[in-house]
Amino acid sequence: MSEVSVVEGGAEDGAPVPDSDENRRQVLYWRLLARLFDPEEQASLESASVAVVEDIGLPVALLAPATSVDSVVQRHPELAGEFDGLMTPEPDADGGRDRAAEVRRAALASKVLLNVFSTGSGTVTAEQLARWQSDAGWLERALGCRPGELRGGRAGAGGGVSPTGTGVGTPAPDLSRLIPEIGPELGSIEAGLVRRMHLREVLADPALASRLTPSMSLIEQLLRDKNNLSGVALANAKALIRRYVDEVTEVLRTQVEKATVGELDRSVPPKRVFRNLDLDRTIWKNLTNWDPEEERLYVDRLYYRHTSRKTTPQRLIVVVDQSGSMVDSMVNCTILASIFAGLPKVDVHLIAYDTQALDLTPWAHDPFETLLRTQLGGGTDGTVAMALAQPKIAEPRNTVVVWISDFYEWRTDELFESMAAIHRSGAKFIPVGSVTSSGRGSVNPWFREKFKDLGTPVISGHIKKLVQELKTFLT
């Protein structure tokens, strides 16, 4: 990229002259674009950016690529609050623009975007990965999310994003509309950083391993490599998996608890205690006993509220594709199955498959032990999983089968016909295309259309959708 000259003021005759704040903002964004797409420093842009940052009273450390946002905030704690919601600016009440404030936002936004999206090349250390994860957390805060929320539960893959708002006359960047794309992109970058690590060497060193922050990308690599680890490295790997499982379990348990509960069971007489007394209904039913002369209401009968809820025993069969493309779903659904296994009167069965099927039901209550028994990768043959699932359907109308896969199968007709048979038997069949926090996932179009025609459309999206479906059926 050739150097770009930056001039304060001045324009061709008849052309609008941008004000100084507009020029400053453009300098910062041109520098950001230059550093993102060309590793070589552009001297004129760097010197002009330093002048802008100093002029508006911000630390020059914002322009240092090797300095994390954490380091900047530690030295200048007054800046911490400015990053929250930085890229979701609220419009001014009078409809105008505070150009000076936009320059300040541009400097802070450039710092976060450059640290997150410019990751260089070569080997990555545990310290560098931890720093990137921290900077990604600051980007999520700038987008109005909690740290880790977009990577989410925490992951995704694909997509892309580039900074906006670099044209003359445009406001500071509002990237909130790109959040569905940014989440998967963060997951993809994080996965790339993990692949560039010498992970086994890091795990063998307790000091380095302690710097790792559990993430979906890291857990995927640990699960793939667990059979090649031993001693200290294996112990550290298990500790990281346990930490991640516990964190995600807490999030998913909250979602399950917030989901809808069962219908009132009016076949069970209400308890006749004061806290269940229905005063409104009692008064309404006894209005005919009102004595206007004495101004008294004589009550013949008290009415109470129903509190008992139906808790019919249900059987939940979860079948998860554990091939390489479904790691995120495998982790999330293993944890979700363990949560539902802890509910009263819910009989949970868990099956994982690629070209072979594995009945993980004995460990369904413990997602950590379940994940350690999975073998990620390989091809996909759902018929082997169906052979294990079908005998478990003893009472179809009391059974729900959740099948999580991208449905790229090689025995498509045979598998779909067996799935349709489950649906026709009266069991509830729920095909799920992805169970990720980002909701991003590819589903075989042939299966998608077949399920739609069957009346059981594929659920693709946030894991909350699956939680709601299951809670509605099981309570």
Side-chain angles (χ1 to χ4, degrees):
M1 179 182 289
S2 60
E3 292 193 4
V4 180
S5 297
V6 181
V7 181
E8 283 277 351
E12 299 291 337
D13 291 341
V17 181
D19 61 26
S20 59
D21 285 331
E22 194 69 56
N23 274 338
R24 290 188 180 101
R25 195 171 62 86
Q26 293 302 311
V27 165
L28 295 170
Y29 284 138
W30 278 115
R31 181 213 175 238
L32 169 63
L33 290 172
R35 295 302 295 258
L36 282 173
F37 295 105
D38 191 338
E40 292 188 11
E41 183 178 290
Q42 302 297 314
S44 61
L45 284 174
E46 292 298 324
S47 60
S49 297
V50 169
V52 170
V53 168
E54 289 180 333
D55 190 46
I56 61 177
L58 287 173
V60 178
L62 284 173
L63 301 176
T67 303
S68 68
V69 178
D70 270 343
S71 296
V72 174
V73 170
Q74 285 172 3
R75 298 175 199 168
H76 307 275
E78 70 278 4
L79 295 179
E82 293 191 51
F83 283 99
D84 290 326
L86 176 69
M87 297 179 189
T88 56
E90 296 182 2
D92 294 336
D94 58 3
R97 291 171 54 198
D98 186 342
R99 295 181 185 274
E102 287 178 5
V103 176
R104 191 175 182 88
R105 282 203 297 269
L108 298 171
S110 295
K111 175 60 179 173
V112 179
L113 290 170
L114 186 60
N115 278 26
V116 172
F117 290 101
S118 180
T119 58
S121 59
T123 303
V124 174
T125 66
E127 185 175 358
Q128 287 173 321
L129 177 63
R131 189 184 74 180
W132 182 90
Q133 290 172 327
S134 174
D135 287 335
W138 283 103
L139 175 59
E140 290 166 317
R141 287 178 58 171
L143 290 167
C145 304
R146 294 185 301 275
E149 186 173 354
L150 294 185
R151 294 166 287 157
R154 303 200 292 201
V161 61
S162 60
T164 61
T166 58
V168 174
T170 56
D174 180 358
L175 299 183
S176 57
R177 68 186 184 280
L178 294 177
I179 285 179
E181 296 296 324
I182 293 175
E185 177 67 8
L186 292 180
S188 179
I189 294 174
E190 185 175 51
L193 292 172
V194 171
R195 284 193 294 270
R196 285 160 53 188
M197 293 178 67
H198 293 308
L199 192 53
R200 295 182 192 177
E201 295 177 14
V202 173
L203 292 172
D205 187 329
L208 291 177
S210 66
R211 297 177 185 173
L212 293 175
T213 301
S215 65
M216 182 60 73
S217 302
L218 181 59
I219 299 308
E220 176 180 347
Q221 293 299 318
L222 294 176
L223 291 175
R224 290 185 186 280
D225 207 32
K226 65 180 185 296
N227 292 331
N228 298 317
L229 301 175
S230 61
V232 174
L234 181 59
N236 286 329
K238 288 184 176 181
L240 286 165
I241 295 172
R242 172 72 76 180
R243 279 174 57 194
Y244 185 78
V245 166
D246 290 345
E247 289 176 9
V248 179
T249 299
E250 190 60 33
V251 173
L252 294 184
R253 182 176 288 114
T254 300
Q255 293 178 6
V256 170
E257 291 172 352
K258 287 183 178 179
T260 182
V261 296
E263 298 178 356
L264 290 173
D265 188 354
R266 299 191 180 278
S267 65
V268 178
K271 287 187 177 181
R272 296 177 177 272
V273 294
F274 180 75
R275 68 172 179 273
N276 291 342
L277 180 64
D278 190 336
L279 287 175
D280 291 340
R281 190 169 177 228
T282 297
I283 293 173
W284 176 257
K285 290 289 188 179
N286 288 279
L287 280 178
T288 54
N289 298 327
W290 171 255
D291 187 330
E293 294 184 0
E294 296 185 15
E295 295 185 349
R296 288 187 178 183
L297 178 67
Y298 292 92
V299 177
D300 292 334
R301 179 182 173 186
L302 297 175
Y303 291 84
Y304 297 86
R305 298 186 186 90
H306 287 78
T307 56
S308 297
R309 297 184 182 274
K310 295 179 180 179
T311 55
T312 307
Q314 306 283 1
R315 174 163 291 189
L316 171 62
I317 303 172
V318 181
V319 183
V320 189
D321 178 351
Q322 66 172 358
S323 62
S325 59
M326 300 297 294
V327 176
D328 198 344
S329 292
M330 184 71 221
V331 174
N332 277 290
C333 286
T334 296
I335 295 171
L336 193 60
S338 72
I339 294 172
F340 278 103
L343 296 179
K345 299 184 178 180
V346 178
D347 181 21
V348 175
H349 295 254
L350 180 61
I351 298 170
Y353 75 97
D354 42 35
T355 56
Q356 295 182 320
L358 181 63
D359 191 345
L360 297 170
T361 301
W363 304 278
H365 66 284
D366 188 337
F368 173 72
E369 290 296 332
T370 300
L371 289 172
L372 291 183
R373 285 169 170 78
T374 58
Q375 298 293 331
L376 302 178
T380 308
D381 184 2
T383 60
V384 296
M386 184 61 73
L388 287 180
Q390 282 179 323
K392 295 177 179 290
I393 306 175
E395 300 178 29
R397 297 195 177 278
N398 197 31
T399 303
V400 58
V401 178
V402 179
W403 197 291
I404 302 101
S405 176
D406 54 13
F407 297 100
Y408 284 95
E409 299 276 347
W410 65 287
R411 286 197 271 190
T412 56
D413 292 304
E414 180 182 347
L415 179 60
F416 177 76
E417 181 52 40
S418 59
M419 292 173 171
I422 291 176
H423 175 69
R424 290 192 296 267
S425 72
K428 184 173 180 62
F429 185 82
I430 305 176
V432 182
S434 64
V435 190
T436 67
S437 297
S438 66
R440 193 164 186 146
S442 173
V443 176
N444 186 333
W446 186 88
F447 268 95
R448 186 184 290 278
E449 288 301 315
K450 286 288 188 179
F451 285 132
K452 185 177 179 181
D453 294 340
L454 189 64
T456 58
V458 175
I459 294 178
S460 287
H462 201 285
I463 194 169
K464 288 182 180 178
K465 291 184 179 180
L466 179 58
V467 170
Q468 190 69 39
E469 283 278 340
L470 294 177
K471 263 296 230 182
T472 300
F473 183 82
L474 294 172
T475 56

